[in-house]
Amino acid sequence: MSSGKHYAKGSPKPVLPDDGQLRLFSMRFCPYAHRAHLVLKAKKVPHHTVYINLSEKPEWLVDVSPLLKVPALQLSAEKGQPSLIESLIIAEYLDEKYPQNPLLPKDPLKKAQEKILLERFSGVSSAFYKIFLQSSGLDDFSLALDIFEQELAKRGTPFFGGDKPGYVDYMIWPWLERLPLVEFALKDYKFDAKRFAKIAKLIELLKADDVVKSFYVTPEQHIEFWKSRRAGNANYDLLA
Amino acid sequence: MSSGKHYAKGSPKPVLPDDGQLRLFSMRFCPYAHRAHLVLKAKKVPHHTVYINLSEKPEWLVDVSPLLKVPALQLSAEKGQPSLIESLIIAEYLDEKYPQNPLLPKDPLKKAQEKILLERFSGVSSAFYKIFLQSSGLDDFSLALDIFEQELAKRGTPFFGGDKPGYVDYMIWPWLERLPLVEFALKDYKFDAKRFAKIAKLIELLKADDVVKSFYVTPEQHIEFWKSRRAGNANYDLLA
């Protein structure tokens, strides 16, 4: 429903059909928005996407996302057309609201354990940005990723979700897809496919997953976007 | 089940009855652990409490809380006696597992909205510590609290949960109970009961709530604990 172009300051508000479909306000290269896209695809929920230029936000963004955050999911069929923010809250909402292809376990204990595991991924994502912005933090990054390597070994399944991708797989994928950025930021670094053998295999499996494929960005494209962003001129419309 | 004394390095591991009851590892003055106590009380779930000296943690803490965090809730009746951490994950687990006195709405949208609101409380809790540790951040604190004042006005109910305390009420209470610490840290500051009229009323109502009363600490006691903590000699057993 979107051309993929990002709406910026001064852009008129897009007129979306009054069809009651969900409306996802996103940025094509945002890993948090990426999560929402993956869940919507996994659950096959029809929706419209509106991409937002985060450097020069359109004036009307405040109407759908008062904190000017993406992802924001507007529920256009609900009374007052409320919006949800926070990628994990959006993911859990979608998983509860649309029962097809459940991502989180229904059992309260198992569900809590998946969320606690995911909580630890913040070690990876925060180290990730430190690496990219300051070229430091590789040790923290690797130690945090070890946790996921060990957990996958312990589970003995190809995916965190078992025989197919589940909640944790899709919630961490945006950073796994962006691993080449770490190699790009730290010239001497090469992803250690031996230390992270299970994660390396998971990455290959997820790359072949239809949901992941439907929103996939190549390493070269990620690098090109980040270069433009680092130069202070983020090329949001790189893929549009 | 606990005398209220905090177990420290060198303390033998307490022997708890093999009765399948939940075991909460806590610290008497930790606002995050406070949340878990409130939910357990609200849902009337029988449990044992083991208090931990966080300055000198007992060696066996790692067995029940590998990251050495409190609160940790050990599910002694479950296979492998797993533990849960993270106060909000513990709260949601308990709310799902024990249906009595539900705290979060069942409707996925309403539930997501409560969680998004609570997410914004991190503005209060992080400003809180900045005030206490650096005597700065009062403006951020007040602006974050404004959000809750406005939301309560918008809802038009005495509690965030409606006519009785709900999820948001109990999750923010630990910081509301500690508001006198802000006045203590900033000598010139006085909580503005006009600007925060609804919150002031909420505080009075919650002080009279049986659940809150069951774990209540007076302003003087909070101040005494924080003084001892700031002096590098936290008096964990102040109430024991």
Side-chain angles (χ1 to χ4, degrees):
Chain A
M1 202 52 223
S2 163
S3 66
K5 282 238 178 202
H6 289 66
Y7 289 84
K9 204 185 230 174
S11 310
K13 190 171 182 171
V15 181
L16 297 173
D18 194 14
D19 54 8
Q21 283 191 13
L22 298 178
R23 298 166 177 183
L24 179 62
F25 294 81
S26 174
M27 191 281 272
R28 186 61 187 85
F29 296 92
C30 168
Y32 297 96
H34 195 164
R35 287 174 163 173
H37 286 279
L38 293 173
V39 177
L40 286 164
K41 302 268 184 189
K43 315 213 48 116
K44 297 190 172 50
V45 183
H47 61 280
H48 303 291
T49 300
V50 178
Y51 288 113
I52 302 294
N53 179 320
L54 295 181
S55 314
E56 301 269 349
K57 294 173 182 171
E59 292 77 359
W60 41 262
L61 181 60
V62 70
D63 302 334
V64 286
S65 183
L67 300 179
L68 306 180
K69 282 186 170 188
V70 302
L73 184 70
Q74 191 182 26
L75 314 179
S76 70
E78 300 277 351
K79 198 184 147 196
Q81 305 200 319
S83 292
L84 302 179
I85 53 170
E86 302 297 339
S87 62
L88 298 183
I89 294 175
I90 290 173
E92 208 173 333
Y93 165 79
L94 290 170
D95 200 37
E96 285 181 5
K97 184 76 179 180
Y98 301 92
Q100 63 270 31
N101 191 16
L103 296 176
L104 271 167
K106 290 284 162 284
D107 174 66
L109 168 57
K110 291 203 179 84
K111 192 201 282 192
Q113 287 172 324
E114 294 305 277
K115 289 195 210 170
I116 290 167
L117 176 62
L118 186 60
E119 195 62 35
R120 303 195 67 182
F121 198 74
S122 63
V124 175
S125 52
S126 57
F128 192 94
Y129 283 100
K130 228 176 140 188
I131 287 172
F132 201 75
L133 299 174
Q134 307 166 17
S135 301
S136 72
L138 182 60
D139 286 352
D140 289 345
F141 175 81
S142 299
L143 288 171
L145 206 55
D146 277 339
I147 295 162
F148 287 79
E149 176 70 20
Q150 287 156 13
E151 180 65 25
L152 206 46
K154 201 172 117 193
R155 294 191 182 193
T157 52
F159 300 98
F160 285 101
D163 291 331
K164 56 183 196 143
Y167 179 72
V168 170
D169 301 285
Y170 287 135
M171 294 303 101
I172 71 174
W173 172 253
W175 288 267
L176 299 182
E177 187 180 290
R178 286 162 179 77
L179 278 177
L181 286 173
V182 176
E183 298 186 355
F184 167 73
L186 304 173
K187 297 297 175 208
D188 294 336
Y189 176 70
K190 191 96 192 68
F191 179 71
D192 188 342
K194 220 162 138 185
R195 175 170 178 177
F196 304 113
K198 304 276 177 198
I199 295 290
K201 184 84 182 82
L202 174 69
I203 290 172
E204 289 317 307
L205 289 172
L206 283 170
K207 269 188 189 163
D209 175 69
D210 283 340
V211 170
V212 163
K213 271 161 47 178
S214 72
F215 205 71
Y216 184 73
V217 170
T218 68
E220 295 72 27
Q221 290 165 334
H222 274 302
I223 290 171
E224 193 174 338
F225 175 74
W226 274 84
K227 272 182 178 168
S228 74
R229 186 180 148 170
R230 199 157 60 168
N233 189 22
N235 188 1
Y236 294 108
D237 291 335
L238 184 67
L239 305 181
Chain B
M1 202 48 226
S2 163
S3 67
K5 279 238 180 204
H6 290 65
Y7 289 85
K9 205 188 234 172
S11 309
K13 190 171 181 171
V15 180
L16 297 173
D18 195 14
D19 55 7
Q21 283 191 15
L22 298 179
R23 298 166 177 184
L24 179 62
F25 295 81
S26 173
M27 190 279 273
R28 187 61 186 86
F29 297 92
C30 168
Y32 297 97
H34 196 163
R35 285 174 164 172
H37 286 280
L38 293 173
V39 177
L40 285 165
K41 303 266 185 194
K43 314 211 53 114
K44 298 189 171 51
V45 182
H47 62 281
H48 302 290
T49 299
V50 178
Y51 287 113
I52 302 293
N53 178 322
L54 295 181
S55 314
E56 302 269 351
K57 295 173 183 173
E59 293 77 359
W60 42 261
L61 180 60
V62 70
D63 302 335
V64 286
S65 183
L67 299 179
L68 306 180
K69 282 185 169 188
V70 303
L73 184 69
Q74 190 182 26
L75 315 180
S76 70
E78 298 279 349
K79 201 186 143 194
Q81 305 201 321
S83 291
L84 302 179
I85 52 170
E86 301 299 336
S87 62
L88 298 183
I89 295 176
I90 289 173
E92 209 173 332
Y93 165 80
L94 290 170
D95 200 36
E96 286 182 3
K97 184 78 179 177
Y98 301 92
Q100 63 270 31
N101 191 15
L103 296 177
L104 271 166
K106 289 284 161 284
D107 174 65
L109 168 58
K110 291 206 179 83
K111 190 201 282 191
Q113 286 173 323
E114 294 304 278
K115 290 194 210 171
I116 291 167
L117 176 61
L118 186 58
E119 194 63 33
R120 303 195 69 182
F121 197 74
S122 62
V124 176
S125 50
S126 57
F128 192 94
Y129 285 101
K130 227 176 140 188
I131 287 172
F132 200 75
L133 299 174
Q134 307 165 15
S135 301
S136 72
L138 182 61
D139 286 352
D140 289 345
F141 175 82
S142 299
L143 288 171
L145 206 55
D146 276 340
I147 295 162
F148 287 79
E149 176 70 19
Q150 286 156 15
E151 180 65 25
L152 206 46
K154 202 173 116 195
R155 294 192 181 191
T157 53
F159 300 98
F160 285 101
D163 291 331
K164 57 184 195 139
Y167 179 73
V168 170
D169 301 286
Y170 287 134
M171 294 303 99
I172 71 174
W173 172 254
W175 288 267
L176 298 182
E177 186 179 290
R178 287 161 178 78
L179 278 176
L181 286 173
V182 176
E183 297 187 357
F184 167 72
L186 303 173
K187 298 295 172 209
D188 295 336
Y189 177 70
K190 190 98 191 68
F191 180 71
D192 187 342
K194 220 163 142 184
R195 176 171 176 175
F196 304 114
K198 303 274 177 199
I199 295 289
K201 183 87 186 63
L202 175 69
I203 290 172
E204 289 316 308
L205 289 172
L206 282 171
K207 268 188 190 163
D209 175 68
D210 283 339
V211 170
V212 163
K213 271 162 44 179
S214 72
F215 205 72
Y216 184 73
V217 170
T218 68
E220 295 71 25
Q221 290 165 334
H222 275 302
I223 290 171
E224 193 174 339
F225 175 74
W226 275 84
K227 272 183 176 167
S228 73
R229 185 181 149 167
R230 198 156 62 169
N233 188 22
N235 187 2
Y236 294 108
D237 291 334
L238 184 67
L239 305 181

